Protein backbone atom coordinates (compact mmCIF):
# COMPACT_ATOMS: atom_id res chain seq x y z
CA UNK A 1 0.00 0.00 0.00
CA UNK A 2 1.27 3.51 -0.81
CA UNK A 3 2.41 5.39 2.27
CA UNK A 4 0.28 8.38 3.16
CA UNK A 5 1.95 11.55 4.32
CA UNK A 6 0.39 14.71 5.67
CA UNK A 7 1.13 17.81 3.61
CA UNK A 8 0.52 21.47 4.30
CA UNK A 9 -1.65 22.52 1.35
CA UNK A 10 -2.34 26.13 2.32
CA UNK A 11 -1.51 28.77 4.90
CA UNK A 12 -3.07 32.03 5.98
CA UNK A 13 -2.36 34.42 8.81
CA UNK A 14 -3.73 37.41 10.62
CA UNK A 15 -2.21 40.25 12.59
CA UNK A 16 -4.24 43.04 14.22
CA UNK A 17 -3.95 46.56 12.79
CA UNK A 18 -2.52 48.32 15.85
CA UNK A 19 1.28 48.66 15.64
CA UNK A 20 3.13 49.02 18.95
CA UNK A 21 6.53 50.45 18.01
CA UNK A 22 9.73 50.56 20.02
CA UNK A 23 9.28 54.35 20.07
CA UNK A 24 5.92 53.97 21.83
CA UNK A 25 7.44 51.48 24.31
CA UNK A 26 10.08 54.12 25.12
CA UNK A 27 7.20 56.25 26.47
CA UNK A 28 5.84 53.39 28.59
CA UNK A 29 8.94 51.82 30.24
CA UNK A 30 12.60 52.71 30.67
CA UNK A 31 14.01 51.32 27.44
CA UNK A 32 15.35 52.41 24.07
CA UNK A 33 14.82 51.41 20.47
CA UNK A 34 18.56 50.74 20.29
CA UNK A 35 18.48 48.30 23.27
CA UNK A 36 15.43 46.41 21.99
CA UNK A 37 16.73 46.18 18.42
CA UNK A 38 20.23 45.06 19.35
CA UNK A 39 19.17 42.58 22.08
CA UNK A 40 16.13 41.05 20.28
CA UNK A 41 15.85 42.20 16.64
CA UNK A 42 12.31 43.50 17.26
CA UNK A 43 11.18 46.90 15.90
CA UNK A 44 7.42 46.63 16.33
CA UNK A 45 4.63 44.21 17.26
CA UNK A 46 0.85 44.09 16.75
CA UNK A 47 -1.76 44.48 19.48
CA UNK A 48 -5.39 43.32 19.34
CA UNK A 49 -7.44 46.19 20.72
CA UNK A 50 -11.11 46.20 21.70
CA UNK A 51 -13.28 44.77 24.44
CA UNK A 52 -14.21 41.11 24.39
CA UNK A 53 -11.76 40.26 21.64
CA UNK A 54 -9.82 37.08 22.36
CA UNK A 55 -7.42 34.85 20.48
CA UNK A 56 -10.33 33.36 18.52
CA UNK A 57 -10.57 36.65 16.57
CA UNK A 58 -7.04 36.07 15.23
CA UNK A 59 -7.73 32.38 14.57
CA UNK A 60 -11.09 32.90 12.85
CA UNK A 61 -9.69 35.54 10.48
CA UNK A 62 -6.81 33.18 9.64
CA UNK A 63 -9.06 30.17 9.02
CA UNK A 64 -11.59 32.12 6.94
CA UNK A 65 -8.77 33.28 4.66
CA UNK A 66 -7.35 29.75 4.54
CA UNK A 67 -10.68 28.18 3.53
CA UNK A 68 -11.16 30.77 0.83
CA UNK A 69 -7.71 30.42 -0.74
CA UNK A 70 -7.72 26.59 -0.61
CA UNK A 71 -11.35 26.47 -1.83
CA UNK A 72 -12.27 24.29 1.13
CA UNK A 73 -15.83 24.08 2.40
CA UNK A 74 -16.14 24.30 6.20
CA UNK A 75 -18.22 21.11 6.31
CA UNK A 76 -15.28 19.18 4.80
CA UNK A 77 -13.10 19.85 7.86
CA UNK A 78 -12.59 16.81 10.12
CA UNK A 79 -10.52 18.27 12.93
CA UNK A 80 -9.35 21.64 14.27
CA UNK A 81 -6.37 21.85 16.62
CA UNK A 82 -5.71 25.27 18.11
CA UNK A 83 -2.33 25.78 19.74
CA UNK A 84 -2.45 28.68 22.18
CA UNK A 85 -1.57 29.71 25.71
CA UNK A 86 -4.09 32.54 25.64
CA UNK A 87 -7.42 30.78 25.00
CA UNK A 88 -10.54 32.94 24.94
CA UNK A 89 -11.53 31.23 28.20
CA UNK A 90 -10.11 28.40 30.30
CA UNK A 91 -13.01 26.37 28.90
CA UNK A 92 -14.54 25.63 26.47
CA UNK A 93 -11.65 25.19 24.08
CA UNK A 94 -11.01 28.04 21.66
CA UNK A 95 -11.03 25.44 18.85
CA UNK A 96 -14.74 24.96 19.65
CA UNK A 97 -15.46 28.65 19.27
CA UNK A 98 -13.54 28.72 15.98
CA UNK A 99 -15.25 25.60 14.57
CA UNK A 100 -18.72 26.95 15.18
CA UNK A 101 -17.90 30.41 13.86
CA UNK A 102 -16.52 29.07 10.55
CA UNK A 103 -19.33 26.51 10.12
CA UNK A 104 -17.24 23.35 10.56
CA UNK A 105 -20.35 21.28 11.30
CA UNK A 106 -18.67 17.88 10.88
CA UNK A 107 -15.52 18.62 12.83
CA UNK A 108 -14.33 18.25 16.38
CA UNK A 109 -11.63 20.38 17.87
CA UNK A 110 -9.39 20.88 20.84
CA UNK A 111 -6.72 23.22 22.14
CA UNK A 112 -3.10 22.28 22.62
CA UNK A 113 -0.93 24.02 25.18
CA UNK A 114 2.80 23.95 24.57
CA UNK A 115 3.64 27.67 24.52
CA UNK A 116 5.93 28.66 21.66
CA UNK A 117 6.22 25.02 20.50
CA UNK A 118 2.43 24.65 20.36
CA UNK A 119 2.12 24.96 16.60
CA UNK A 120 4.72 22.29 15.81
CA UNK A 121 3.32 19.92 18.45
CA UNK A 122 -0.11 20.39 16.80
CA UNK A 123 1.37 19.90 13.34
CA UNK A 124 2.84 16.55 14.35
CA UNK A 125 -0.34 15.49 16.16
CA UNK A 126 -2.51 16.35 13.15
CA UNK A 127 -0.15 14.66 10.71
CA UNK A 128 -0.50 11.35 12.56
CA UNK A 129 -4.30 11.31 12.04
CA UNK A 130 -3.66 11.82 8.31
CA UNK A 131 -0.91 9.20 8.05
CA UNK A 132 -3.21 6.70 9.78
CA UNK A 133 -5.85 7.38 7.13
CA UNK A 134 -8.36 8.56 9.73
CA UNK A 135 -8.93 12.15 8.58
CA UNK A 136 -8.50 14.01 5.29
CA UNK A 137 -8.73 17.69 6.15
CA UNK A 138 -7.29 19.07 9.37
CA UNK A 139 -6.80 22.69 10.34
CA UNK A 140 -3.81 23.45 12.55
CA UNK A 141 -3.85 26.88 14.17
CA UNK A 142 -1.19 28.70 16.15
CA UNK A 143 -2.45 31.96 17.65
CA UNK A 144 -1.90 34.05 20.73
CA UNK A 145 -3.08 37.34 22.16
CA UNK A 146 0.00 37.84 24.31
CA UNK A 147 -1.04 41.40 25.19
CA UNK A 148 -3.69 39.83 27.45
CA UNK A 149 -1.01 38.35 29.76
CA UNK A 150 1.86 40.83 29.44
CA UNK A 151 2.65 43.42 32.09
CA UNK A 152 3.25 46.69 30.24
CA UNK A 153 5.23 48.04 33.19
CA UNK A 154 7.80 45.19 32.96
CA UNK A 155 10.44 46.19 30.42
CA UNK A 156 11.97 42.71 30.30
CA UNK A 157 8.83 41.07 28.85
CA UNK A 158 6.66 43.77 27.27
CA UNK A 159 9.22 44.51 24.57
CA UNK A 160 9.21 40.93 23.29
CA UNK A 161 5.64 39.79 22.82
CA UNK A 162 2.93 40.62 20.29
CA UNK A 163 -0.46 39.35 19.07
CA UNK A 164 -1.04 37.33 15.91
CA UNK A 165 -1.26 33.90 14.40
CA UNK A 166 -2.13 31.76 11.46
CA UNK A 167 -3.51 28.46 10.24
CA UNK A 168 -2.52 25.71 7.83
CA UNK A 169 -4.55 23.03 6.09
CA UNK A 170 -3.20 19.47 6.34
CA UNK A 171 -4.22 16.93 3.72
CA UNK A 172 -3.03 13.45 2.69
CA UNK A 173 -0.56 13.01 -0.16
CA UNK A 174 1.11 10.03 -1.81
CA UNK A 175 3.68 12.25 -3.55
CA UNK A 176 7.23 12.63 -2.24
CA UNK A 177 6.32 15.75 -0.25
CA UNK A 178 4.78 16.52 3.14
CA UNK A 179 5.82 16.04 6.74
CA UNK A 180 8.62 13.51 6.83
CA UNK A 181 9.88 13.53 10.39
CA UNK A 182 9.54 15.33 13.69
CA UNK A 183 11.19 15.22 17.07
CA UNK A 184 9.76 16.85 20.17
CA UNK A 185 10.78 17.23 23.78
CA UNK A 186 9.45 18.81 26.93
CA UNK A 187 11.03 19.21 30.36
CA UNK A 188 9.48 20.69 33.48
CA UNK A 189 12.91 21.91 34.50
CA UNK A 190 11.89 25.10 32.69
CA UNK A 191 8.92 25.91 34.89
CA UNK A 192 10.62 28.43 37.21
CA UNK A 193 11.97 30.47 34.31
CA UNK A 194 8.82 30.98 32.24
CA UNK A 195 5.31 30.62 33.57
CA UNK A 196 2.17 32.34 34.82
CA UNK A 197 1.96 32.11 38.59
CA UNK A 198 -1.82 32.21 39.09
CA UNK A 199 -5.11 31.56 37.36
CA UNK A 200 -4.78 27.78 37.26
CA UNK A 201 -6.13 25.22 39.74
CA UNK A 202 -2.98 25.43 41.87
CA UNK A 203 -3.48 29.13 42.57
CA UNK A 204 -6.90 30.36 41.45
CA UNK A 205 -7.52 34.04 40.78
CA UNK A 206 -8.02 36.16 43.89
CA UNK A 207 -7.62 39.79 44.87
CA UNK A 208 -4.17 38.89 46.20
CA UNK A 209 -3.01 37.27 42.92
CA UNK A 210 -4.20 40.29 40.96
CA UNK A 211 -2.51 42.74 43.33
CA UNK A 212 0.72 40.73 43.04
CA UNK A 213 0.63 40.73 39.22
CA UNK A 214 0.54 36.94 39.19
CA UNK A 215 -1.57 36.75 36.01
CA UNK A 216 1.22 38.07 33.84
CA UNK A 217 4.02 36.22 32.05
CA UNK A 218 6.88 35.61 34.47
CA UNK A 219 10.14 35.23 32.56
CA UNK A 220 13.76 34.96 33.61
CA UNK A 221 15.07 35.95 30.21
CA UNK A 222 18.72 35.03 30.36
CA UNK A 223 18.01 31.49 31.73
CA UNK A 224 15.47 30.93 28.94
CA UNK A 225 17.90 32.33 26.40
CA UNK A 226 20.71 29.96 27.42
CA UNK A 227 18.49 26.87 27.29
CA UNK A 228 16.87 27.90 23.99
CA UNK A 229 20.10 28.66 22.20
CA UNK A 230 21.51 25.20 22.93
CA UNK A 231 18.42 23.03 22.66
CA UNK A 232 16.81 24.48 19.55
CA UNK A 233 20.01 23.97 17.56
CA UNK A 234 20.61 20.50 19.06
CA UNK A 235 17.20 19.21 18.04
CA UNK A 236 17.49 20.69 14.55
CA UNK A 237 20.86 18.97 14.06
CA UNK A 238 19.34 15.72 15.33
CA UNK A 239 16.47 15.79 12.82
CA UNK A 240 18.97 16.59 10.06
CA UNK A 241 21.24 13.72 11.10
CA UNK A 242 18.38 11.20 11.31
CA UNK A 243 17.28 12.15 7.80
CA UNK A 244 20.78 12.33 6.28
CA UNK A 245 20.39 16.03 5.52
CA UNK A 246 23.46 18.20 4.95
CA UNK A 247 23.38 22.00 5.29
CA UNK A 248 23.25 22.28 1.50
CA UNK A 249 20.04 20.18 1.42
CA UNK A 250 18.10 22.71 3.51
CA UNK A 251 16.16 25.32 1.54
CA UNK A 252 14.54 27.04 4.54
CA UNK A 253 14.93 27.19 8.28
CA UNK A 254 11.58 28.21 9.79
CA UNK A 255 12.53 29.16 13.36
CA UNK A 256 10.32 30.33 16.20
CA UNK A 257 10.69 34.11 16.47
CA UNK A 258 11.71 34.75 20.09
CA UNK A 259 15.00 36.54 19.72
CA UNK A 260 17.08 37.19 16.58
CA UNK A 261 20.22 36.15 18.45
CA UNK A 262 18.74 32.66 19.14
CA UNK A 263 17.75 32.34 15.47
CA UNK A 264 21.21 33.43 14.25
CA UNK A 265 22.91 30.94 16.59
CA UNK A 266 20.71 28.10 15.31
CA UNK A 267 21.36 28.98 11.65
CA UNK A 268 25.08 29.22 12.32
CA UNK A 269 25.23 25.76 13.96
CA UNK A 270 23.29 24.35 10.97
CA UNK A 271 25.78 26.00 8.63
CA UNK A 272 23.16 27.83 6.58
CA UNK A 273 23.18 31.40 5.30
CA UNK A 274 20.77 34.15 6.36
CA UNK A 275 18.95 34.08 3.00
CA UNK A 276 17.59 30.65 3.90
CA UNK A 277 16.26 31.72 7.28
CA UNK A 278 12.66 32.92 7.45
CA UNK A 279 12.46 35.98 9.66
CA UNK A 280 9.77 38.52 10.53
CA UNK A 281 10.56 39.12 14.21
CA UNK A 282 11.28 42.78 13.41
CA UNK A 283 7.61 43.36 12.48
CA UNK A 284 5.69 41.04 14.82
CA UNK A 285 7.92 40.20 17.82
CA UNK A 286 7.18 36.92 19.59
CA UNK A 287 3.57 35.86 18.99
CA UNK A 288 4.19 32.56 20.85
CA UNK A 289 2.21 29.81 19.01
CA UNK A 290 1.62 32.25 16.15
CA UNK A 291 5.17 32.74 14.88
CA UNK A 292 5.55 29.66 12.63
CA UNK A 293 2.29 29.99 10.66
CA UNK A 294 2.92 33.74 10.35
CA UNK A 295 6.35 33.00 8.84
CA UNK A 296 4.96 30.42 6.40
CA UNK A 297 2.27 32.92 5.39
CA UNK A 298 4.81 35.71 4.84
CA UNK A 299 7.17 33.52 2.81
CA UNK A 300 4.60 31.34 1.00
CA UNK A 301 5.19 32.94 -2.40
CA UNK A 302 8.95 32.30 -2.15
CA UNK A 303 8.74 28.58 -1.27
CA UNK A 304 8.90 26.06 -4.12
CA UNK A 305 7.29 22.65 -4.30
CA UNK A 306 9.86 20.10 -3.09
CA UNK A 307 11.81 22.58 -0.93
CA UNK A 308 13.21 21.10 2.28
CA UNK A 309 12.02 23.02 5.34
CA UNK A 310 13.19 22.56 8.90
CA UNK A 311 10.66 24.08 11.28
CA UNK A 312 12.00 24.59 14.81
CA UNK A 313 10.62 25.97 18.03
CA UNK A 314 11.45 26.48 21.67
CA UNK A 315 9.16 27.67 24.42
CA UNK A 316 7.94 27.79 27.98
CA UNK A 317 7.71 24.56 29.89
CA UNK A 318 10.32 24.00 28.52
CA UNK A 319 9.02 22.64 25.21
CA UNK A 320 10.98 22.30 22.00
CA UNK A 321 11.15 20.41 18.74
CA UNK A 322 11.90 20.28 15.03
CA UNK A 323 9.84 19.17 12.05
CA UNK A 324 11.26 18.20 8.66
CA UNK A 325 8.84 18.78 5.78
CA UNK A 326 9.07 18.87 2.00
CA UNK A 327 6.85 21.70 0.74
CA UNK A 328 3.88 20.39 -1.24
CA UNK A 329 2.89 23.18 -3.62
CA UNK A 330 3.87 26.24 -5.63
CA UNK A 331 1.76 29.28 -4.90
CA UNK A 332 3.53 31.63 -7.30
C1 LIG B 1 14.65 38.91 27.51
C2 LIG B 1 15.97 39.16 26.81
C3 LIG B 1 15.77 39.95 25.53
C4 LIG B 1 16.87 39.98 27.73
O1 LIG B 1 18.13 40.16 27.13
P1 LIG B 1 19.45 39.82 27.93
O2 LIG B 1 20.56 40.19 27.05
O3 LIG B 1 19.37 38.41 28.41
O4 LIG B 1 19.35 40.83 29.13
P2 LIG B 1 19.37 40.55 30.70
O5 LIG B 1 18.05 40.00 31.14
O6 LIG B 1 20.61 39.77 31.05
O7 LIG B 1 19.51 42.02 31.22
C5 LIG B 1 20.65 42.82 30.92
C6 LIG B 1 20.42 44.22 31.42
O8 LIG B 1 19.46 44.86 30.56
C7 LIG B 1 18.40 45.41 31.35
N1 LIG B 1 17.17 45.36 30.57
C8 LIG B 1 16.25 44.38 30.52
N2 LIG B 1 15.26 44.73 29.69
C9 LIG B 1 15.56 45.96 29.21
C10 LIG B 1 14.93 46.82 28.31
N3 LIG B 1 13.76 46.52 27.72
N4 LIG B 1 15.52 47.99 28.02
C11 LIG B 1 16.70 48.34 28.58
N5 LIG B 1 17.35 47.54 29.45
C12 LIG B 1 16.79 46.36 29.76
C13 LIG B 1 18.36 44.53 32.56
O9 LIG B 1 17.72 45.19 33.64
C14 LIG B 1 19.81 44.28 32.82
O10 LIG B 1 20.34 45.38 33.47
P3 LIG B 1 21.49 45.22 34.61
O11 LIG B 1 22.64 44.59 33.89
O12 LIG B 1 21.71 46.60 35.06
O13 LIG B 1 20.89 44.31 35.64
C15 LIG B 1 16.69 37.82 26.47
O14 LIG B 1 17.13 37.24 27.67
C16 LIG B 1 15.85 36.86 25.75
O15 LIG B 1 15.43 37.06 24.62
N6 LIG B 1 15.59 35.71 26.37
C17 LIG B 1 14.83 34.65 25.76
C18 LIG B 1 13.40 35.03 25.75
C19 LIG B 1 12.58 34.02 25.06
O16 LIG B 1 13.02 33.36 24.16
N7 LIG B 1 11.33 33.96 25.51
C20 LIG B 1 10.29 33.24 24.95
C21 LIG B 1 10.52 31.81 25.02
S1 LIG B 1 10.06 31.21 23.55
Amino acid sequence: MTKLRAAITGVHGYVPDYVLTNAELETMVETTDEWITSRTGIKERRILKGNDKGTSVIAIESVKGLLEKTKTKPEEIDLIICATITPDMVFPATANVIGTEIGAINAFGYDLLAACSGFIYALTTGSKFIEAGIYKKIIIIGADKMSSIVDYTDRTTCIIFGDGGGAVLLEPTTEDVGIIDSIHRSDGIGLPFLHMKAGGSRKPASHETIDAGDHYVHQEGSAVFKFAVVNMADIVLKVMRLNNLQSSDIDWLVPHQANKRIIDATASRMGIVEDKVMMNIDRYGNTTAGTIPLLLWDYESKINKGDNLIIAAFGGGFTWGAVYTKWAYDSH
Side-chain angles (χ1 to χ4, degrees):
M1 217 174 88
T2 323
K3 186 175 164 29
L4 279 184
R5 274 204 200 124
I8 295 173
T9 55
V11 56
H12 201 73
Y14 176 79
V15 286
D17 293 335
Y18 190 87
V19 180
L20 175 59
T21 61
N22 288 352
E24 188 176 351
L25 281 169
E26 284 177 354
T27 69
M28 296 160 65
V29 288
E30 201 182 325
T31 191
T32 59
D33 171 48
E34 199 283 325
W35 193 95
I36 302 172
T37 308
S38 63
R39 304 309 290 163
T40 70
I42 302 167
K43 298 298 275 183
E44 56 190 44
R45 63 292 290 141
R46 301 299 181 98
I47 304 294
L48 182 62
K49 298 269 185 182
N51 292 335
D52 281 340
K53 286 191 173 175
T55 294
S56 66
V57 170
I58 297 165
I60 288 163
E61 285 300 320
S62 303
V63 176
K64 280 184 176 166
L66 178 69
L67 295 181
E68 199 179 310
K69 74 195 274 193
T70 57
K71 298 186 174 44
T72 305
K73 296 191 188 78
E75 55 271 26
E76 292 178 284
I77 304 300
D78 300 304
L79 169 62
I80 298 167
I81 309 177
C82 179
T84 187
I85 59 164
T86 51
D88 281 16
M89 300 175 182
V90 173
F91 74 94
T94 303
N96 258 31
V97 177
I98 300 162
T100 298
E101 188 63 32
I102 63 161
I105 53 171
N106 295 309
F108 75 109
Y110 55 89
D111 291 358
L112 191 153
L113 195 160
C116 301
S117 308
F119 181 80
I120 60 169
Y121 277 27
L123 197 59
T124 298
T125 308
S127 72
K128 299 302 164 193
F129 283 113
I130 301 243
E131 287 169 17
I134 299 171
Y135 300 127
K136 290 197 167 60
K137 288 186 194 285
I138 300 180
I139 290 183
I140 306 292
I141 301 159
D144 270 299
K145 182 187 170 186
M146 292 305 292
S147 62
S148 65
I149 56 169
V150 163
D151 177 0
Y152 285 94
T153 65
D154 173 10
R155 69 176 181 172
T156 67
T157 51
C158 73
I159 56 147
I160 296 174
F161 295 103
D163 302 340
V168 300
L169 181 63
L170 275 185
E171 292 183 277
T173 180
T174 51
E175 287 186 61
D176 184 23
V177 291
I179 294 167
I180 295 171
D181 200 5
S182 52
I183 313 178
H184 299 287
R185 280 281 292 124
S186 55
D187 191 336
I189 195 175
L191 189 149
F193 310 115
L194 192 48
H195 63 276
M196 189 194 285
K197 291 186 189 306
S201 55
R202 189 152 124 184
K203 201 174 185 189
S206 66
H207 289 292
E208 288 74 27
T209 61
I210 290 170
D211 291 345
D214 287 347
H215 298 272
Y216 292 127
V217 173
H218 170 87
Q219 176 174 272
E220 291 172 33
S222 59
V224 177
F225 186 94
K226 283 178 199 143
F227 208 89
V229 96
V230 172
N231 286 285
M232 196 157 99
D234 278 356
I235 208 155
V236 163
L237 295 180
K238 190 170 177 188
V239 90
M240 285 173 66
R241 198 169 56 245
L242 289 174
N243 291 279
N244 297 317
L245 293 168
Q246 309 302 315
S247 311
S248 54
D249 298 320
I250 308 299
D251 297 292
W252 296 102
L253 169 65
V254 192
H256 171 54
Q257 307 284 290
N259 186 314
K260 186 172 183 300
R261 291 184 290 142
I262 299 173
I263 299 167
D264 290 345
T266 305
S268 151
R269 279 193 57 202
M270 289 170 74
I272 63 166
V273 293
E274 203 171 329
D275 288 358
K276 293 184 170 189
V277 182
M278 292 190 190
M279 193 104 71
N280 57 17
I281 191 168
D282 53 328
R283 285 180 291 138
Y284 303 140
N286 182 352
T287 54
T288 302
T291 63
I292 305 282
L294 274 178
L295 277 177
L296 294 174
W297 182 47
D298 262 4
Y299 280 81
E300 187 187 24
S301 64
K302 296 198 176 93
I303 318 173
N304 296 309
K305 183 173 180 179
D307 277 0
N308 284 323
L309 275 63
I310 300 285
I311 308 176
F314 184 87
F318 293 127
T319 58
W320 67 105
V323 174
Y324 166 37
T325 183
K326 243 183 210 304
W327 198 247
Y329 62 98
D330 287 315
S331 66
H332 45 86

